[in-house]
Amino acid sequence: MVTVEQRPAVRAGRPPRRTSMQLKFVMAATGAVMLLYLVAHMVGNLKIFLGAEAIDTYAAWLREVGEPALPYETVLWLVRVVLTVSVVAHIVSATILARRAHRARPVRYAHRKPVQGSYAARTMRWGGVIIALFVVYHLLDLTTGTLNPHGVHGEVHANVVADFAPERWYVTLFYTLAVVAVGFHVRHGVWSALQTFGRSSATTQKTLQGVALGVAVVLVAGFLSVPFAVLTGLVA
């Protein structure tokens, strides 16, 4: 016989300022913004295969785009602000939804079977921690150059080669772990967003799951191609 622990009744109060459906739409919309950024970032990273001049020129263009109509780095900072707001809104919405789901359970089972779900869904929490730590490191490494062995502003090719050198295999390992975590997030996020926007049905579920998996695989492969190319000497 399954024992249960009764929870105290929740007192009625004001309705939530944002409904769960609204929060899901916020998560889907902000997730789309972050996905677009990831795709653009991956495409930019792949320019390293065209040589040092190609990726260094591209990095300089990102800071100069919009000139002279706009001040130096204006567009780049706008992207950073939009991305930061999207990340914060995404995390806040996810946290509120998780708390609501937890409170919605009327009883807590003393012995309960593990919830059946996708591996990505069950690892979103620790995956998010890994990604957050990696973002901090990545900014200090290849944006500010603080932790980069070369760390010269504007010399993107040289900084990347120095970062993923064979003797720094642990950096490549950490990068790989973070990118794989991003892949799980993207796969689960794309699938959830399609459901939120009403694009899922019994007849299209497998197709949409395939699309979500395909997007995740392309991103993971694209991002990991750079450090492994440096590690193996393909890019030097």
Side-chain angles (χ1 to χ4, degrees), residues 135-214:
V135 167
V136 173
Y137 174 82
H138 193 57
L139 291 173
L140 293 174
D141 180 22
L142 291 174
T143 300
T144 67
T146 306
L147 301 179
N148 190 276
H150 188 67
V152 178
H153 180 73
E155 296 186 6
V156 178
H157 185 277
N159 290 338
V160 171
V161 170
D163 200 30
F164 298 115
E167 61 271 18
R168 286 169 57 85
W169 58 268
Y170 49 89
V171 174
T172 302
L173 179 62
F174 183 35
Y175 188 92
T176 300
L177 183 62
V179 169
V180 170
V182 169
F184 279 118
H185 266 64
V186 168
R187 176 182 175 274
H188 181 74
V190 169
W191 169 241
S192 297
L194 291 173
Q195 289 182 310
T196 298
F197 289 125
R199 298 299 181 185
S200 177
S201 66
T203 57
T204 60
Q205 278 194 7
K206 287 188 177 180
T207 300
L208 296 180
Q209 286 175 345
V211 170
L213 178 61

Side-chain angles (χ1 to χ4, degrees), residues 43-56 58 157 235:
V43 172
N45 285 358
L46 294 177
K47 290 185 180 294
I48 198 169
F49 292 103
L50 300 178
E53 183 178 357
I55 192 168
D56 288 354
Y58 170 72
H157 185 277
V235 171

Side-chain angles (χ1 to χ4, degrees), residues 3 13 20 31 42 60-61 67 84 94 118 137 142 145 147 182 197 211 214:
T3 59
S20 294
M42 179 193 70
W61 173 81
E67 288 188 312
T84 301
S118 69
Y137 174 82
L142 291 174
L147 301 179
V182 169
F197 289 125
V211 170

Side-chain angles (χ1 to χ4, degrees), residues 116-124 126 180 184 187-188:
Q116 297 298 320
S118 69
Y119 184 74
R122 296 197 303 270
T123 56
M124 291 292 276
W126 64 258
V180 170
F184 279 118
R187 176 182 175 274
H188 181 74

Side-chain angles (χ1 to χ4, degrees), residues 2-236:
V2 178
T3 59
V4 298
E5 177 185 340
Q6 296 291 343
R7 289 186 177 180
V10 179
R11 287 182 295 180
R14 291 182 302 175
R17 290 163 54 173
R18 294 291 183 271
T19 66
S20 294
M21 183 54 66
Q22 288 174 328
L23 291 172
K24 288 179 180 180
F25 270 97
V26 169
M27 286 195 67
T30 54
V33 170
M34 291 185 284
L35 179 60
L36 288 174
Y37 173 79
L38 285 173
V39 171
H41 190 30
M42 179 193 70
V43 172
N45 285 358
L46 294 177
K47 290 185 180 294
I48 198 169
F49 292 103
L50 300 178
E53 183 178 357
I55 192 168
D56 288 354
T57 301
Y58 170 72
W61 173 81
L62 288 176
R63 289 171 169 77
E64 297 167 357
V65 63
E67 288 188 312
L70 297 173
Y72 182 72
E73 288 194 346
T74 297
V75 173
L76 185 60
W77 275 104
L78 285 175
V79 172
R80 288 169 175 168
V81 170
V82 171
L83 186 62
T84 301
V85 171
S86 297
V87 170
V88 172
H90 196 81
I91 293 174
V92 170
S93 299
T95 302
I96 294 174
L97 286 171
R99 288 179 176 176
R100 287 182 182 177
H102 181 72
R103 290 197 301 263
R105 292 197 296 269
V107 294
R108 182 173 57 196
Y109 292 93
H111 300 286
R112 180 165 56 95
K113 293 182 179 180
V115 176
Q116 297 298 320
S118 69
Y119 184 74
R122 296 197 303 270
T123 56
M124 291 292 276
R125 184 173 300 175
W126 64 258
V129 173
I130 293 174
I131 294 171
L133 293 174
F134 172 74
V135 167
V136 173
Y137 174 82
H138 193 57
L139 291 173
L140 293 174
D141 180 22
L142 291 174
T143 300
T144 67
T146 306
L147 301 179
N148 190 276
H150 188 67
V152 178
H153 180 73
E155 296 186 6
V156 178
H157 185 277
N159 290 338
V160 171
V161 170
D163 200 30
F164 298 115
E167 61 271 18
R168 286 169 57 85
W169 58 268
Y170 49 89
V171 174
T172 302
L173 179 62
F174 183 35
Y175 188 92
T176 300
L177 183 62
V179 169
V180 170
V182 169
F184 279 118
H185 266 64
V186 168
R187 176 182 175 274
H188 181 74
V190 169
W191 169 241
S192 297
L194 291 173
Q195 289 182 310
T196 298
F197 289 125
R199 298 299 181 185
S200 177
S201 66
T203 57
T204 60
Q205 278 194 7
K206 287 188 177 180
T207 300
L208 296 180
Q209 286 175 345
V211 170
L213 178 61
V215 171
V217 169
V218 169
L219 281 175
V220 170
F223 276 109
L224 291 185
S225 64
V226 175
F228 281 99
V230 175
L231 188 67
T232 58
L234 183 61
V235 171

